[in-house]
């Protein structure tokens, strides 16, 4: 019996060893595990930052070129002169300093050693005083060189030499997923650096819809943390090069909630050059009405593609008409750069000037074609547009509204009737000094908007809205 029990046990053990799962064995190939306490470091040289994640060089290179901008506004309600609630929240809450003075704050980027600085238009718009504080705490009064509401870019200047300008990088070459740094002055915290990645490019967020007929939205979207005060600051790549100007955030509260948006450097550099050289932006136009190609549009219009930009109309005496483009064509590239949306098309055209020639790739009836288009200005010519201080129309002379008057009336744009002679404007009952803010419910921000609107033929009269310097609002009908 004993023998049988022992023999049976041996058989059971042998059988289990054959069917039981074998354990996984992890062999250590190093005698020392790479462990370190996060709260106890003897020598930082023991730590190596992985290639592509080292932000130190970019931060050191770019931070000295980013400045703090402080603005003053006359008028007891100066905080209302910013053109959009989101922008007002973003670039810094204005607060009451005196009975008739309010203040704001933002950021800017030095772009030349002799004192030129780029920022957002909404940071300095209608300001009666602008102070620039450099990274080393030196403070200067600044003057406005030029502004462009269509891209929300402005150029200001201080009297100083030997500044450290930030080099432009290529916003066109940057890829989605690349690391970027946002540098600015959020909540008055000077020279703050945050990191994130490029989340998207050529993003249209509709924030400039009420500003200009020539608005251009082709933002770089990132998840780098930005807050009120960052507006006008730098978005840089890991080489410390400027690839964008931080402009807006997507936020229900006005503070950072995940995404921020920057004007790409390709557009910034072109606008800055125009403002410095001419005082106004040389706007290049194809002269077409456009929309994104969608699956629904492709079905309705019987298109052979579901991406690109659909031409819904071609203007007379336009660059597109001269190049042979027609309604129904789908633009897919500009100068060999792919165009899949209206935002991408606007950016590729906007980096040019009137008179420049671009190669337009398009699809017509399923065939790929190309056309050479010589871009034109809003007047339909290739001439340089000069900065003008007034505009004459039907016995009336108009000028830009002054910053002081705009602040006093809480306006963020408009043109003023400075001289009145015999003509349609006087016949309509309008008096000298009247400020036009809207025509046919379209906002009139400046002389360029007024000229563009009046240049288009009208079959009926127009409705003019505005106010007088005493604050009285008025409406007039004018036959043209």
């Amino acid at each position: 019996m004993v023998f049988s029990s022992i023999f049976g046990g041996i058989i059971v053990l042998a059988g289990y060893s054959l069917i039981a799962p074998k354990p996984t064995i992890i062999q250590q190939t190093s005698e020392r595990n790479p462990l370190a306490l996060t709260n106890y470091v003897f020598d930082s040289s023991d730590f190596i930052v992985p290639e592509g994640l080292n932000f130190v060089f970019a931060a050191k290179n770019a931070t000295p070129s980013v400045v703090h901008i402080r603005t003053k506004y006359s008028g007891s309600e100066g905080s209302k002169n910013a053109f959009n609630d989101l922008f007002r929240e973003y670039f810094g809450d204005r607060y009451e300093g005196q009975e008739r003075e309010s203040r704001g704050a933002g950021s800017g980027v030095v772009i030349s050693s002799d004192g030129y600085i780029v920022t957002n238009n909404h940071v300095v718009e209608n300001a009666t005083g602008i102070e620039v504080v450099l990274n080393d705490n030196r403070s200067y009064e600044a003057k406005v060189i030029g502004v462009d509401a269509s891209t929300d870019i402005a150029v200001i200047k201080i009297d100083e030499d030997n500044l450290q300008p930030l080099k432009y990088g290529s916003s066109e070459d940057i890829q989605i997923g690349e690391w970027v740094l946002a540098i600015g002055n959020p909540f008055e915290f000077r020279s703050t650096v945050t990191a994130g990645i490029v989340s998207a490019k050529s993003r249209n967020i509709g924030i400039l819809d009420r500003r200009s007929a020539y608005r251009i939205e082709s933002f770089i979207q990132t998840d780098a943390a930005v807050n009120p005060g960052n507006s006008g600051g730098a978005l840089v790549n890991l080489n410390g090069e400027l690839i964008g100007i931080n402009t807006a955030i997507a936020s229900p509260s006005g503070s950072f909630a995940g995404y921020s948006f920057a004007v790409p450097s390709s557009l910034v550099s072109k606008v800055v050059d125009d403002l410095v050289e001419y005082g106004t932006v040389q706007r290049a136009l194809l002269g077409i009405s456009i929309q994104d190609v969608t699956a629904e549009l492709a079905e309705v219009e019987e298109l052979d593609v579901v991406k690109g930009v659909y031409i819904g109309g071609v203007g007379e005496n336009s660059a597109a008409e001269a190049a042979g483009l027609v309604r129904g064509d789908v633009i897919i590239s500009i100068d060999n750069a792919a165009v899949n949306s209206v935002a991408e098309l606007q950016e590729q055209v906007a980096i040019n000037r009137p008179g420049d020639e671009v190669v337009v790739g398009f699809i017509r009836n399923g065939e790929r074609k190309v056309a050479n288009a010589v871009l034109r200005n809003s007047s339909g010519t290739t001439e340089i547009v000069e900065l003008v201080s007034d505009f004459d129309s039907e016995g009336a002379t108009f000028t830009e509204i002054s910053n002081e008057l705009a602040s006093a009336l809480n306006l963020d744009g408009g043109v003023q009737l400075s001289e009145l002679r015999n003509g349609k404007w006087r016949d309509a009952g309008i008096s000298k000094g009247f400020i036009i803010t809207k025509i046919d419910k379209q906002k009139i921000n400046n002389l360029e908007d007024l000229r563009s609107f009046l240049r288009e033929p009208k079959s009926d009269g127009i409705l003019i809205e505005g106010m007088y310097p005493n604050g009285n609002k008025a409406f007039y009908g004018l036959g043209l």
Side-chain angles (χ1 to χ4, degrees):
M1 291 176 63
V2 172
F3 176 78
S4 297
S5 298
I6 295 173
F7 184 72
I10 293 173
I11 293 175
V12 171
L13 291 173
Y16 179 77
S17 65
L18 292 175
I19 63 175
K22 299 185 181 300
T24 301
I25 299 175
I26 301 176
Q27 185 177 11
Q28 297 290 345
T29 58
S30 175
E31 295 182 359
R32 181 181 178 183
N33 292 332
L35 302 177
L37 297 176
T38 58
N39 64 333
Y40 193 66
V41 179
F42 287 106
D43 189 351
S44 62
S45 62
D46 292 339
F47 298 90
I48 300 176
V49 179
E51 184 178 357
L53 290 178
N54 194 336
F55 307 142
V56 176
F57 173 80
K60 284 185 176 180
N61 184 72
T63 299
S65 302
V66 179
V67 303
H68 188 199
I69 297 177
R70 296 170 178 163
T71 50
K72 296 180 181 180
Y73 304 84
S74 62
S76 59
E77 297 187 37
S79 62
K80 294 182 180 180
N81 65 7
F83 64 81
N84 186 283
D85 288 339
L86 176 57
F87 275 158
R88 286 203 298 270
E89 291 285 347
Y90 181 59
F91 74 80
D93 293 332
R94 295 177 186 172
Y95 58 89
E96 297 298 330
Q98 300 176 2
E99 182 179 354
R100 295 192 60 79
E101 182 179 283
S102 55
R103 301 179 183 179
S107 303
V109 181
V110 177
I111 53 173
S112 71
S113 61
D114 57 348
Y116 285 94
I117 296 168
V118 61
T119 184
N120 282 134
N121 174 53
H122 73 261
V123 171
V124 299
E125 184 180 33
N126 295 332
T128 55
I130 303 173
E131 178 189 10
V132 170
V133 182
L134 301 183
N135 182 254
D136 59 9
N137 291 326
R138 286 181 292 169
S139 177
Y140 302 85
E141 290 297 317
K143 63 179 180 180
V144 175
I145 299 300
V147 299
D148 180 43
S150 300
T151 55
D152 197 28
I153 293 297
V155 178
I156 61 177
K157 189 179 186 304
I158 62 175
D159 291 329
E160 185 56 86
D161 294 317
N162 301 318
L163 299 179
Q164 181 175 328
L166 191 57
K167 179 183 177 181
Y168 284 110
S170 175
S171 57
E172 295 185 359
D173 292 339
I174 196 166
Q175 301 295 314
I176 295 174
E178 280 193 43
W179 284 100
V180 290
L181 303 183
I183 306 175
N185 305 279
F187 302 119
E188 300 282 336
F189 294 131
R190 300 273 301 282
S191 303
T192 297
V193 180
T194 56
I197 64 168
V198 175
S199 305
K201 296 176 65 176
S202 300
R203 187 70 84 190
N204 186 327
I205 60 176
I207 202 169
L208 299 179
D209 283 352
R210 293 178 291 174
R211 292 302 293 165
S212 172
Y214 300 111
R215 59 189 176 274
I216 299 170
E217 293 197 25
S218 188
F219 294 113
I220 298 173
Q221 178 182 326
T222 79
D223 63 356
V226 293
N227 278 290
N230 273 108
S231 196
L235 185 71
V236 303
N237 58 22
L238 292 190
N239 291 325
E241 299 168 331
L242 183 68
I243 61 163
I245 295 296
N246 295 315
T247 299
I249 55 177
S251 170
S253 65
S255 296
F256 182 68
Y259 296 110
S260 57
F261 303 89
V263 180
S265 60
S266 59
L267 189 56
V268 172
S269 62
K270 191 269 180 182
V271 171
V272 167
D273 289 346
D274 283 353
L275 292 178
V276 172
E277 185 172 355
Y278 303 106
T280 186
V281 175
Q282 302 301 313
R283 226 172 295 281
L285 305 172
L286 272 172
I288 53 179
S289 58
I290 52 179
Q291 66 184 103
D292 291 338
V293 173
T294 62
E296 293 77 11
L297 179 64
E299 182 178 357
V300 171
E301 298 293 338
E302 298 181 350
L303 304 177
D304 297 316
V305 291
V306 291
K307 64 179 181 179
V309 178
Y310 178 78
I311 299 180
V314 178
E316 294 183 6
N317 192 35
S318 66
E321 182 184 56
L325 297 173
V326 299
R327 182 187 183 280
D329 290 344
V330 176
I331 298 177
I332 57 174
S333 68
I334 298 290
D335 285 340
N336 296 319
V339 169
N340 294 315
S341 67
V342 169
E344 290 180 337
L345 174 62
Q346 288 178 325
E347 180 182 355
Q348 290 301 319
V349 172
I351 60 178
N352 295 280
R353 288 177 175 171
D356 291 344
E357 183 177 273
V358 296
V359 180
V360 181
F362 64 98
I363 295 178
R364 178 185 297 170
N365 298 326
E367 293 186 36
R368 291 178 176 264
K369 298 177 177 292
V370 295
N372 295 324
V374 179
L375 301 174
R376 302 183 182 184
N377 57 33
S378 58
S379 300
T381 73
T382 59
E383 301 298 323
I384 293 296
V385 176
E386 300 291 340
L387 180 64
V388 295
S389 58
D390 57 37
F391 170 66
D392 289 330
S393 171
E394 302 286 347
T397 300
F398 298 92
T399 58
E400 302 276 4
I401 184 173
S402 67
N403 290 341
E404 291 77 14
L405 183 55
S407 295
L409 298 175
N410 299 317
L411 296 176
D412 57 3
V415 295
Q416 188 171 26
L417 201 165
S418 58
E419 295 183 20
L420 187 62
R421 302 173 293 278
N422 291 331
K424 293 183 177 180
W425 294 89
R426 172 172 284 177
D427 295 342
I430 303 176
S431 300
K432 180 179 177 180
F434 181 71
I435 302 163
I436 298 176
T437 57
K438 291 183 180 179
I439 298 181
D440 286 347
K441 299 188 176 183
Q442 179 178 319
K443 189 168 178 58
I444 303 298
N445 297 291
N446 47 46
L447 290 176
E448 181 182 357
D449 288 349
L450 180 64
R451 286 197 303 268
S452 298
F453 191 93
L454 296 180
R455 186 179 297 113
E456 299 175 2
K458 307 290 188 304
S459 57
D460 301 319
I462 58 177
L463 175 64
I464 301 171
E465 302 178 43
M467 66 173 59
Y468 286 95
N470 61 6
N472 291 337
K473 295 184 179 180
F475 301 82
Y476 298 98
L478 182 69
L480 293 178

